[in-house]
Amino acid sequence: MSDPLDAVLDKLGPDGLTAAAAALAAECAARGLVVARWADGRQTVRGVPVDPLPHVVAAADWTRLAAGVEQRHRALNAFLADAYRPAGRRRGDTDRDPEVVRAGVLPAWAVAHSPARDPGAVGLAWPGQPRAAVAAADVVRTADGRWTVVADSLRVPAGIGYALAAHDVLRAAVPEVTPPVPVADPSAAVPLLRAALAAAAPPKREGPPRIGVLTGGQADPARFEHRVLADALGVPLVEAGDLWPRADGGIEATVAGERLPLDVLHRRFDDAELGAHRTPAGTPLAALLAEGVRSGMLGLANVPGNGIADDRATYAVVPRLIRFYLGEEPLLPSVRTWVLADADQWAEVRGRLHELVLTPVDAYGGGGAVAGPECSSEQLAQLQAQVAAAPHRFVAAEPVEPAPVPAVADGATASRPVDLRVFSVTGRDGVRALPSPLTRVAPSPENGPTGEALKPTWLLS
């Protein structure tokens, strides 16, 4: 079979590439396809460009990726259930450590002293609820053709809405770019996501669950995506200022002037922000949600506290978690990672910081990472001193170079590194990968994927 991208390039031609890029830019601007960031106390908003050349993933690769991501999701949900089991284990047990600690798979400090562990989150899931209804794994294809997981996301995994939008704007702006071979329909992800959110409704609720997408407000950096998700799911987009307590302990939201009961909230902002929002009655949002869960009238997706499962130290041991909880061998490799709180691991890499990527344990989404190979001698000396003073604050990992794919730059084709964010959901029928992965494109050949631009992703079928 010929490369589907060759057909696209032949159809567009050199002049068509420039026209396609311009049409996409205009369509993205018209739809308000933006992302916002906070820096130095200011919010900046920028448009998110979409590349006209889709990222093509072969059917066999997608089968392997989907199975591997589903496996990680199952193992990490089991770890979350173990780590947040009420009272640590079972009532009456003298040893309150999680099973994974009791079995000697992880040291107690790896769970009890994780900076992302939130003891108050124990009661924010109803009994038996999977704590990560939605998860994501970031994967890259390396030069040897292997797909490698570089990060997990189980707090508030973002990007499904952007993945759907990337396909929509391409179809609208450049309708001549159509797959020359059968590909998976990304909109098939929507009913799978809806079913997973419905499964997060507490068992005592009767009838079809009433779902809302909970955004941080007008200034939320990803509000565009929240609106896309709410519209796709056919549910209201609500914020703290819309929420009210009900007499039965549940919640309701003011939507278009009406009060609507809600059984599930798809939470779209991080745990740390829950305490910053207040309801119209003056109640902290965190307290209102906690009361709704305790009353058995509300389910949160995702449950707060999931950072313990996707921090950098836990990433290093996911293969062990898969073997322990599932009794399976990992289907996708992880990047070789050392947790420097372990004295033996710190000793192993002490003299190799110039070769490795150092990341704070409490960093989320790769923030704060320092690439040793890119440091000057002075920067390396500072890094060595900083890590030596508190090695428990860091993990070290081998650098990963994603294989480049064709992209459009300045009206011509160029090679750019990409990563693929693969989403999965937990529903009543188990874990399913969504056929709407998000491809993020690096701005230059020297950069790793940073999400500066998006590509529609074609999953060959």
Side-chain angles (χ1 to χ4, degrees):
M1 181 182 67
S2 62
D3 187 334
L5 278 187
D6 290 340
V8 172
L9 290 168
D10 289 343
K11 181 179 289 188
L12 290 177
D15 293 338
L17 283 177
T18 301
L24 275 168
E27 184 69 21
C28 290
R31 295 191 183 208
L33 182 56
V34 297
V35 67
R37 288 197 177 104
W38 286 93
D40 300 325
R42 288 185 181 177
Q43 186 184 64
T44 58
V45 179
R46 67 168 180 83
V48 180
V50 175
D51 191 288
L53 296 181
H55 179 204
V56 178
V57 179
D61 286 333
W62 176 245
T63 298
R64 187 179 309 113
L65 285 170
V69 168
E70 290 167 359
Q71 182 189 58
R72 292 177 80 93
H73 192 163
R74 289 186 288 126
L76 289 169
N77 252 341
F79 172 63
L80 286 167
D82 194 12
Y84 283 116
R85 185 174 289 117
R89 295 187 65 246
R90 293 178 291 273
R91 189 174 299 170
D93 286 345
T94 56
D95 186 343
R96 300 304 179 92
D97 285 329
E99 297 288 355
V100 72
V101 172
R102 287 164 59 84
V105 177
L106 294 183
W109 57 261
V111 180
H113 299 298
S114 167
R117 184 174 186 273
D118 178 8
V122 170
L124 294 181
W126 44 263
Q129 179 186 1
R131 299 185 75 94
V134 185
D138 295 334
V139 297
V140 298
R141 191 167 198 168
T142 52
D144 60 5
R146 292 201 312 164
W147 292 96
T148 300
V149 179
V150 296
D152 299 289
S153 179
L154 291 94
R155 304 182 205 201
V156 189
I160 297 175
Y162 287 107
L164 296 174
H167 284 274
D168 286 345
V169 297
L170 181 65
R171 280 193 292 260
V174 197
E176 60 270 31
V177 177
T178 56
V181 293
V183 300
D185 181 1
S187 66
V190 175
L192 293 172
L193 175 60
R194 187 186 296 112
L197 297 178
K204 70 185 293 184
R205 299 298 304 141
E206 297 180 356
R210 296 157 296 196
I211 301 167
V213 173
L214 178 61
T215 182
Q218 294 292 332
D220 193 295
R223 188 177 176 89
F224 169 85
E225 182 188 26
H226 305 168
R227 170 53 65 191
V228 169
L229 285 175
D231 289 347
L233 292 165
V235 303
L237 180 66
V238 300
E239 53 193 77
D242 301 319
L243 301 181
W244 299 84
R246 294 201 315 260
D248 61 3
I251 66 168
E252 57 190 14
T254 303
V255 178
E258 292 185 67
R259 294 278 186 92
L260 301 178
L262 294 175
D263 306 313
V264 177
L265 281 176
H266 184 28
R267 183 173 59 91
R268 299 307 307 154
F269 53 87
D270 202 36
D271 303 11
E273 297 181 44
L274 286 171
H277 297 278
R278 291 190 172 268
T279 69
T283 306
L285 176 61
L288 179 69
L289 300 183
E291 178 56 32
V293 174
R294 279 194 297 265
S295 70
M297 305 300 291
L298 178 67
L300 299 176
N302 286 345
V303 179
N306 287 359
I308 192 175
D310 66 12
D311 70 18
R312 301 309 298 171
T314 301
Y315 167 84
V317 299
V318 171
R320 279 190 255 168
L321 300 182
I322 291 171
R323 295 184 183 101
F324 176 69
Y325 290 112
L326 307 182
E328 301 170 1
E329 283 300 307
L331 298 175
L332 292 174
S334 300
V335 179
R336 179 86 185 276
T337 303
W338 293 263
V339 179
L340 305 190
D342 183 298
D344 292 338
Q345 295 188 44
W346 168 224
E348 187 177 347
V349 302
R350 186 188 299 269
R352 294 188 55 209
L353 299 193
H354 62 289
E355 302 173 350
L356 304 175
V357 177
L358 278 294
T359 307
V361 172
D362 58 356
Y364 183 44
V370 177
E374 299 175 8
C375 290
S376 65
S377 298
E378 181 179 351
Q379 290 170 329
L380 277 173
Q382 293 174 346
L383 180 64
Q384 185 81 33
Q386 185 180 14
V387 177
H392 64 279
R393 294 187 53 241
F394 296 90
V395 298
E398 297 279 5
V400 178
E401 292 188 15
V405 301
V408 175
D410 299 324
T413 57
S415 293
R416 292 289 184 267
V418 300
D419 74 347
L420 191 67
R421 170 162 281 200
V422 182
F423 303 94
S424 53
V425 294
T426 300
R428 291 188 174 89
D429 297 326
V431 177
R432 293 280 304 277
L434 301 183
S436 57
L438 176 70
T439 297
R440 298 175 290 193
V441 189
S444 70
E446 295 77 25
N447 296 110
T450 59
E452 292 297 319
L454 308 179
K455 275 179 174 287
T457 309
W458 284 354
L459 303 179
L460 302 188
S461 58

